[in-house]
C-alpha cells in the first residue's frame, strides 16, 4: 500500500494489521512510515515491510513491486492511495506544480497498478487478487481552484474503469475498486501546495469545516468495498451526494456546489473575524 505514513493509508494499514495481514507499506515520509509500521506490528500484523518509495518514480515502484513479491511470495491486495493536493486557478498554477501532482496522483496510481498487475495474476485464487485506486469526490466534479487535482482524480477513475472492464472481458478474477472519498479529516491540505494568490489559511479552514469523515471510517468503507467486490465506493455523505448530483442533475448541479462552497468560505471568514 502506498501513502501509508498518514491519513487514509495509515488507517488502512492499521485496519489490515488488526486482521493479521502481512503488509508492504510505502511512502516518501520515512519517519511517518516507521511509526505506522511499528504500530501495525503492535496491532497484530503478521509481517510488515516498510519502504521509502516515491510513487512518481516508475523504476522505483517497479523495483518495490518485485521486491515485495520476492519477500512475501505473492500479493493479494494492492492499494494505490498516495496523493497530494494543489489549490490554484488555471491562470495562476505553476507548470512545475501541475507536473508534480500528475506525477504523484496519476502516474503514481498507474505505476503501482501496472507494476503489481502481473504479480496479482499469479496470486493464489483462494486468497483473492484486488486493486484499489483512490480517486476523490473531485474525480466526480470539477472543483474550482482544483483543475489539476480534479484532472488526476478523473484520470484515476477512467484508468481504473477501463482496467476493470479489460479484466472482466478476459474472465480474470482480479477485482478493481475505485474509491471516492469526500472530505476526510487528514493532513492532505496541510501537506498541499497552493498558488501565491491563494489564501492558505482559508483553504485549510474550509477543508477542516467540510471534512466530516474520519480516516478510520474511510478505511472501513474501502475494505468493505473490497470484500464485497464493489467497483466504486463513495466515502462519506458528501461523496455520495456528489455522485447523485453529478449523475442526476448534470450541469445544473454545478451552481449548487459552488454556492455551498461559498457558504462554507463565508462561515470560515466570519468565524475568523469573530471576537474570541
Ligand atoms: N483527505 C481528503 O479529504 C481526501 C479527499 C478525497 C481524496 N483523498 C485522497 O486520499 C488519498 C490519501 O490522502 P490523505 O487524505 O490520507 O492524505 P495524507 O496527506 O494524510 O496522506 C497522503 C500520504 O501520501 C504520501 N505521499 C505523498 N507524495 C508521495 C509520493 N510521491 N510517493 C509516496 N507517497 C507519497 C504522503 O507522505 C502521505 O503520507 C489521496 O490519494 C487523496 O487524494 C483525500
Amino acid at each position: 500500500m502506498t501513502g501509508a505514513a498518514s491519513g487514509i493509508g495509515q488507517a488502512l494499514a492499521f485496519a489490515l494489521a488488526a486482521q493479521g495481514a502481512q503488509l508492504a507499506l510505502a511512502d516518501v515520509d520515512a519517519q511517518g512510515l516507521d511509526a505506522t509500521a511499528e504500530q501495525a506490528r503492535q496491532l497484530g500484523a503478521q509481517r510488515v515491510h516498510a519502504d521509502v518509495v516515491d510513487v512518481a518514480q516508475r523504476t522505483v515502484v517497479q523495483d518495490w513491486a518485485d521486491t515485495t513479491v520476492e519477500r512475501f511470495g505473492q500479493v493479494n491486495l494492492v492499494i494505490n492511495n498516495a496523493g497530494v493536493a494543489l489549490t490554484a486557478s488555471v491562470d495562476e498554477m505553476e507548470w512545475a506544480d501541475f507536473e508534480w501532482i500528475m506525477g504523484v496522483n496519476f502516474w503514481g496510481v498507474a505505476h503501482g497498478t501496472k507494476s503489481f498487475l502481473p504479480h496479482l495474476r499469479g496470486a493464489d485464487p483462494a486468497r483473492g487478487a484486488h486493486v484499489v485506486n483512490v480517486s476523490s469526490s473531485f474525480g466526480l466534479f470539477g472543483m474550482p481552484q482544483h483543475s489539476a487535482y480534479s484532472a488526476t482524480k478523473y484520470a484515476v477513475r477512467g484508468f481504473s474503469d477501463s482496467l476493470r472492464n479489460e479484466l472482466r472481458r478476459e474472465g480474470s478474477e482480479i477485482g478493481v475498486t475505485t474509491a471516492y472519498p469526500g472530505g476526510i479529516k487528514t493532513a492532505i491540505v496541510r501537506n498541499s501546495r497552493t498558488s501565491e494568490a491563494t489564501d492558505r489559511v482559508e483553504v485549510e479552514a474550509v477543508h477542516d469545516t467540510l471534512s466530516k469523515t474520519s480516516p478510520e471510517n474511510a478505511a472501513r468503507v474501502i475494505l468493505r468495498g473490497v470484500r464485497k467486490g464493489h467497483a466504486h465506493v463513495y466515502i462519506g455523505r458528501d461523496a455520495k451526494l456528489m455522485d447523485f448530483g453529478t449523475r442526476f442533475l448534470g450541469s445544473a448541479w454545478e451552481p449548487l456546489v459552488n454556492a455551498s462552497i461559498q457558504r462554507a468560505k463565508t462561515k470560515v471568514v466570519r468565524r475568523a473575524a469573530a471576537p474570541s
Side-chain angles (χ1 to χ4, degrees):
M1 181 180 30
T2 66
S6 170
I8 300 171
Q10 186 178 62
L12 281 163
F14 293 163
L16 289 164
Q19 296 170 21
Q22 302 187 45
L23 299 173
L25 307 177
D27 205 290
V28 280
D29 170 4
Q31 218 183 334
L33 192 58
D34 282 349
T36 303
E38 188 46 44
Q39 201 169 333
R41 287 184 192 102
Q42 287 171 18
L43 285 168
Q46 259 186 56
R47 196 169 160 199
V48 183
H49 281 279
D51 293 285
V52 173
V53 172
D54 177 354
V55 297
Q57 305 294 322
R58 184 171 308 154
T59 53
V60 173
V61 178
Q62 285 166 338
D63 289 347
W64 174 58
D66 294 345
T67 306
T68 298
V69 176
E70 274 166 30
R71 282 172 179 159
F72 292 89
Q74 65 176 298
V75 173
N76 304 97
L77 175 61
V78 176
I79 307 182
N80 293 300
N81 159 77
V84 290
L86 168 63
T87 309
S89 69
V90 173
D91 275 333
E92 291 158 0
M93 183 168 47
E94 299 289 342
W95 286 109
D97 290 340
F98 201 167
E99 285 173 4
W100 165 73
I101 198 168
M102 289 303 295
V104 181
N105 291 12
F106 174 64
W107 283 113
V109 168
H111 293 156
T113 306
K114 237 174 111 46
S115 303
F116 279 100
L117 192 56
H119 301 306
L120 284 173
R121 288 184 192 284
D124 173 1
R127 296 175 63 179
H130 207 101
V131 182
V132 176
N133 288 336
V134 179
S135 176
S136 165
S137 57
F138 291 14
L140 304 167
F141 181 87
M143 201 59 82
Q145 307 288 111
H146 289 88
S147 56
Y149 183 82
S150 271
T152 65
K153 296 301 187 178
Y154 273 78
V156 166
R157 175 182 165 194
F159 178 77
S160 310
D161 282 354
S162 183
L163 172 67
R164 183 180 316 105
N165 287 310
E166 255 173 52
L167 292 168
R168 203 174 273 157
R169 197 176 54 185
E170 71 181 59
S172 169
E173 293 292 316
I174 301 172
V176 180
T177 296
T178 314
Y180 305 89
I184 315 292
K185 295 178 208 289
T186 69
I188 190 151
V189 172
R190 271 171 197 85
N191 295 334
S192 72
R193 294 188 186 179
T194 47
S195 65
E196 268 182 36
T198 303
D199 180 345
R200 226 191 134 82
V201 175
E202 185 187 275
V203 170
E204 288 178 14
V206 169
H207 184 260
D208 289 346
T209 303
L210 294 179
S211 296
K212 307 288 184 203
T213 307
S214 68
E216 293 74 23
N217 248 330
R220 248 193 307 275
V221 174
I222 291 172
L223 294 178
R224 191 178 57 212
V226 171
R227 265 197 317 277
K228 296 194 163 190
H230 288 164
H232 303 279
V233 293
Y234 303 93
I235 304 165
R237 284 178 60 191
D238 49 350
K240 287 181 190 137
L241 187 65
M242 196 62 92
D243 175 50
F244 177 86
T246 48
R247 222 191 276 231
F248 296 106
L249 299 180
S251 57
W253 175 238
E254 293 178 1
L256 300 176
V257 176
N258 283 322
S260 112
I261 297 167
Q262 204 44 55
R263 272 199 302 279
K265 278 189 181 169
T266 310
K267 211 155 109 187
V268 161
V269 170
R270 273 210 205 110
R271 206 182 294 148
S276 48

